[in-house]
Amino acid sequence: MADAALRLTTLAEDLLGTPLPVRLRAWDGSEAGPTGGPVLIINQRRALRRLLWKPGELGLARAWVAGEIDVEGDLYDTLDRLAGLIWERGGDDAAVHPVRDPKLRAAAKALVKLAGPWPPPAPPAEEMRRRTGPLHTKRRDKEAISHHYDVGNDFYELVLGPSMVYSCAYWSENGTLEEAQRDKLDLICRKLGLKEGDRLLDVGCGWGSMAIHAAKEYGAEVVGVTLSREQAAYARKRIAEEGLADRIEIRVQDYRDVKDGPFDAISSIGMAEHVGSVRYRQYADTLFALLKPGGRLLNHQIARRPERDEAAYKVDEFIDAYVFPDGELAPVGRTVTLLEEAGLEVRDVEVIREHYARTLREWVANLEARWNEAVRLSSPGRARIWRLYMAASAVSFERNRIGVNQILAVKTPESGTSGVNLRPRAWTEVAKA
C-alpha cells in the first residue's frame, strides 16, 4: 500500500508541532495534506536523508537543487506558506531535538527508517564549499564573486533581459523591465548630479550598464571596477560597440585598490551586500577618501530587518552556499551610521522595496519562459537555484522581510555647502529631457 505521504505528513506534524501548510506527494505516488493549494513533491526519499542531516533551509535547498523535491502549483504561494517553518523558524539551531519526548523520539526514529540507508548524498556540485580563514580578504572576495557572476554571460542575458542590469529596477505603473531599469540608472545619475566631464567611479560595475548610461546620457568620464573577468569582458565589448571607449575604463580590480581619485561621484549599486560587516567601515572610509570635497555617493543596497539581538544575526544558509557566498545584509540604519561615521553627510534615503519584488518576478518569468535554454547554458541545478532564489527573494520583499534603499551621501566640505538642491527630491519631479 502506497502511504509514504501520509506517514511523512503525520511524522512532520508530530516533529514540528503544527499542521503542514502544503500538500505532500511522495515518491510512491501517495498524497496527503490540505487540498486546493500547491503540492510539495518528494521525488526521491533520499531527500529525507538530506533533511535529517541538515534540518531546515540547507537540507531543503540541497534536495531542491538536486531535483529530489519540486513544487506543483504556485511557487510563490508555496514559499510563503513554508516561510514560517523554514526561514522564520531558523536553520540547524532550530532543528527538533526529540530525545526528551518519547513521542517525538519515536517519530524521529520512524522518519529515519522511512528515509532509507545512511549516509546522506553528497551536496550538489553547485554548492560553494565551506571556506576557511578570515572573511572578506581580497582573495576570498574574488572567489565569492567568481562563484556568483562567472556562470556565463549568456545565462545572465536570458534572466536579466537586454538591460543587463542586476539590481532593483525603478517602476512606473506601466512599462517594461528595460524601461524600468533605464529609469533606475537615470534616477541615480540625477541624484549624483552628473554633468559633462564629471569623473564617476562605478563600484561593482557589473556588465557596464550604469557606466554606459552615465557616459552616453550625461557626458561623464567613468571608471568601472569589478572582480568578475566575465563581466569585465562583456562590459568592454558593449562599450566599444557604443563608441564610448574614450570615456569609460573597465577594470578587474578590488575597490580597495583604486588609487586614482578624487572622483566627482561614486555609484555603488547592489555591491555593498558583498562587503560584509567586518569590512563595511573600511568600505565607507575608502569611498569617502576617493571623493572630492562636495562629491556625492549613491549607495543602492538591500537591507534586512533589525534583530532584537544583532549578535544573533546569521547569514542565510541557502544564499551563502549557492548564491552569494559570504554576502551579508545590514539594517539600513546601521548602513547610514557607518557612512556618516566615515565623514559623509547622508542627505536622502529612498525606500524602493516593492520595486524589487516586481523586478524579481520579471526575472523569474524570463527564466521560466526559456527554461530549457537556461538549463543548457548552465546546468539543471544552477537553473533551479536561480528560480528558487529569485522567487523566494520576491516573497521576502513583498512581505517586508527584506528591503532595498538608495542612500545619497555627500562629502560635505568644511564650508558646509553640500551642493544639494534645497528641494532634495527634485530629481523625482522632473526627468532629464
Side-chain angles (χ1 to χ4, degrees):
M1 176 176 163
D3 64 350
L6 179 59
R7 292 167 65 191
L8 275 174
T9 299
T10 302
L11 291 171
E13 291 179 350
D14 283 344
L15 288 167
L16 296 169
T18 185
L20 283 183
V22 296
R23 190 167 181 80
L24 284 187
R25 180 184 302 151
W27 57 91
D28 62 356
S30 61
E31 294 191 18
T35 59
V39 180
L40 182 64
I41 305 168
I42 304 177
N43 293 312
Q44 300 179 40
R45 67 174 182 164
R46 68 179 184 176
L48 304 182
R49 300 202 295 278
R50 295 191 191 275
L51 286 167
L52 286 166
W53 183 251
K54 281 289 183 182
E57 182 178 346
L58 187 57
L60 275 173
R62 287 174 172 173
W64 172 270
V65 174
E68 296 159 3
I69 62 173
D70 213 330
V71 167
E72 181 180 286
D74 191 310
L75 179 59
Y76 298 101
D77 185 20
T78 306
L79 292 168
D80 200 33
R81 292 182 185 215
L82 291 175
L85 297 180
I86 308 169
W87 294 280
E88 293 166 11
R89 195 181 184 97
D92 289 348
D93 286 350
V96 176
H97 298 284
V99 292
R100 298 181 186 88
D101 187 319
K103 180 181 178 182
L104 295 182
R105 187 164 62 246
K109 287 181 178 178
L111 188 58
V112 169
K113 185 176 180 180
L114 188 61
W118 210 249
E126 291 83 0
E127 183 169 319
M128 182 81 168
R129 299 300 180 252
R130 295 294 111 187
R131 299 158 302 285
T132 59
L135 287 170
H136 300 292
T137 61
K138 292 177 183 178
R139 178 177 179 179
R140 183 160 167 164
D141 279 353
K142 190 170 184 178
E143 290 173 353
I145 293 298
S146 179
H147 174 85
H148 185 69
Y149 292 105
D150 292 341
V151 299
N153 292 326
D154 290 343
F155 178 80
Y156 277 101
E157 280 185 334
L158 183 151
V159 174
L160 303 179
S163 68
M164 285 300 281
V165 179
Y166 184 37
S167 54
C168 176
Y170 195 69
W171 296 89
S172 57
E173 288 301 319
N174 299 305
T176 66
L177 174 61
E178 286 66 45
E179 290 168 342
Q181 289 292 15
R182 186 193 184 283
D183 287 349
K184 186 270 299 295
L185 297 177
D186 205 66
L187 176 66
I188 291 172
C189 289
R190 284 183 274 126
K191 286 183 175 181
L192 289 172
L194 290 182
K195 59 187 182 298
E196 185 79 28
D198 277 354
R199 291 193 77 213
L200 169 68
L201 174 64
D202 188 23
V203 180
C205 64
W207 293 272
S209 299
M210 174 64 188
I212 290 171
H213 189 85
K216 188 175 182 179
E217 302 297 329
Y218 289 83
E221 306 284 339
V222 187
V223 173
V225 296
T226 175
L227 294 178
S228 167
R229 294 190 178 278
E230 289 195 22
Q231 283 187 335
Y234 188 98
R236 289 167 183 154
K237 183 175 182 293
R238 292 178 71 193
I239 289 161
E241 290 171 350
E242 291 279 355
L244 295 170
D246 61 331
R247 285 186 173 270
I248 305 172
E249 178 188 2
I250 300 295
R251 304 173 185 168
V252 179
Q253 185 179 36
D254 192 291
Y255 74 95
R256 289 165 282 194
D257 293 329
V258 176
K259 305 298 182 185
D260 55 333
F263 293 88
D264 298 282
I266 298 175
S267 54
S268 178
I269 308 170
M271 179 271 177
E273 297 89 338
H274 296 287
V275 170
S277 58
V278 298
R279 297 288 183 187
Y280 205 95
R281 177 58 192 272
Q282 180 185 15
Y283 163 83
D285 287 341
T286 300
L287 299 191
F288 176 86
L290 287 168
L291 278 172
K292 74 173 189 180
R296 300 184 187 184
L297 165 69
L298 192 287
N299 188 74
H300 176 119
Q301 183 177 346
I302 298 171
R304 62 176 170 84
R305 303 296 298 167
E307 302 277 356
R308 288 182 181 272
D309 175 12
E310 277 295 309
Y313 168 67
K314 290 186 177 181
V315 175
D316 182 287
E317 290 183 299
F318 167 58
I319 299 293
D320 187 51
Y322 288 99
V323 187
F324 288 109
D326 294 339
E328 294 181 51
L329 302 182
V332 63
R334 181 60 181 152
T335 299
V336 166
T337 296
L338 285 166
L339 292 173
E340 293 213 314
E341 285 177 354
L344 293 158
E345 180 188 10
V346 171
R347 298 295 305 227
D348 186 76
V349 179
E350 184 174 2
V351 180
I352 53 175
R353 174 175 62 82
E354 292 87 350
H355 293 255
Y356 216 158
R358 184 170 172 181
T359 304
L360 284 155
R361 283 182 175 259
E362 289 284 335
W363 290 343
V364 171
N366 286 345
L367 177 63
E368 291 177 340
R370 298 170 64 185
W371 182 259
N372 291 337
E373 187 179 354
V375 169
R376 178 180 61 79
L377 290 171
S378 55
S379 70
R382 183 73 63 187
R384 290 175 67 81
I385 288 166
W386 279 84
R387 183 171 180 241
L388 177 62
Y389 151 62
M390 294 190 298
S393 296
V395 171
S396 293
F397 281 109
E398 288 164 353
R399 300 296 183 264
N400 192 27
R401 296 173 189 138
I402 54 176
V404 62
N405 311 283
Q406 287 189 354
I407 302 171
L408 177 67
V410 180
K411 185 175 182 176
T412 304
E414 292 184 6
S415 67
T417 304
S418 70
V420 177
N421 194 300
L422 289 175
R423 298 176 64 192
R425 287 294 175 90
W427 49 70
T428 66
E429 298 171 10
V430 181
K432 185 176 181 291

